[in-house]
Amino acid sequence: MAKGDLELVKLTKRYGSTVAVEAIDLRVPAGTYCCFLGPSGCGKSTTMRMIAGHESVTEGDIILGAQNVTDFAPARRGTAMMFQSYALFPHLTVLDNVAFSLKMKGASKTERYAKARAVMELVDLQRFETRMPAQLSGGQQQRVALARALVTDPGILLLDEPLSALDPFLRLRVRTELKRLQRELGISFLHVTHGQDEAMALADLVVIMRDGRIEQAGSPQDVFHRPATGFVARFMGGHNVLTLEGRPVSVRADRVRLGAGTEAARTLSGEVRGVEYGGATVTVVVAAGEGGEITAVIPEEQFFQSPAHLGESRDIHWSRGDEFALSAA
Ligand code: ADP
């Protein structure tokens, strides 16, 4: 394995009778932006903490580059973690916060300040050197936490819900910045989120977890276009999950059209239960018998050629080629 490659082998964590992470296998090549995605309690943070060494491993292995680091102390692994609560030292300046871990390693003052300043420049913090954490905004505090994690030259940076404390505007900005930083540094970022849009926007590799297991791992396009299970299709959004001829199937909502299709298409009909105007598109929900409620996302112009109204009965259709067989509902 190349330096910076990460491999999890049957990695397991149990807390008493609770299985938080159950025998997961995963390979993350060096230089990957990897997002762990899943609902609360599915084991994302526990997986990250085990990789960082902040949580012991019940069974299995963590291989980083050529080394099995499963039992290594956090500082010896070549990983760094940025926590959700930034955990800055309130009595130290920004510069000393960033340089702190180098001090612990015994670096001279000249050496650690030079390194800290280089990292601060990377995240645009130069101007705040002498400030105390309490004198910074949330976004700035987060950049300090980021700089503090990067100052150790990690092979892998772990980020646990790094954007959740930010307002929507700042979240988008920091998201772009994280991606840029990851590209510039060329190391892997492992980023925990429960937001599918965040994962889609950032990740080269999306790892979708459910109940301590990996439900699917793949590129954003893979998990969106070829969801393995109904859970993934529902979680990624934009899909209808239904049973057709006894098999679980997903159909993207933006592939469903109003009106009857040709003979080759699949046409269903039912009562219009919802119509939501969204600007470029209109979302229509139709209760289509055995198919259950089906959501159609229709381009605005097309919708207004023959608008659907609440309560009326309408046909909907899609091409059979847009039906995607799932391995489980
Ligand atoms: P996520 O990050 O996806 O929200 P976690 O990894 O935090 O999920 O938790 C996974 C499961 O492990 C949950 O059921 C949670 O209650 C349990 N868990 C996490 N940490 C502990 C702990 N220290 N003691 C007992 N159970 C825990």
Side-chain angles (χ1 to χ4, degrees), residues 15-16 18-21 38-47 49 55 160-161 192 209 212:
Y15 296 104
T18 306
V19 186
V21 176
S40 181
C42 70
K44 307 180 294 295
S45 298
T46 305
T47 302
R49 290 202 305 270
E55 188 67 80
D160 194 354
E161 302 256 5
V192 164
M209 292 188 71

Side-chain angles (χ1 to χ4, degrees), residues 2 43 60 65 96 104-105 110 133 141 171 177 191 201-202 204 213 282 302 307 310 328:
D96 282 318
M104 292 292 97
K105 284 189 172 165
T110 325
Q141 287 183 26
R171 197 176 301 155
E177 234 171 73
H191 173 140
L202 284 169
D204 305 309
R213 295 167 186 255
V282 182
Q302 242 182 59
L310 279 181

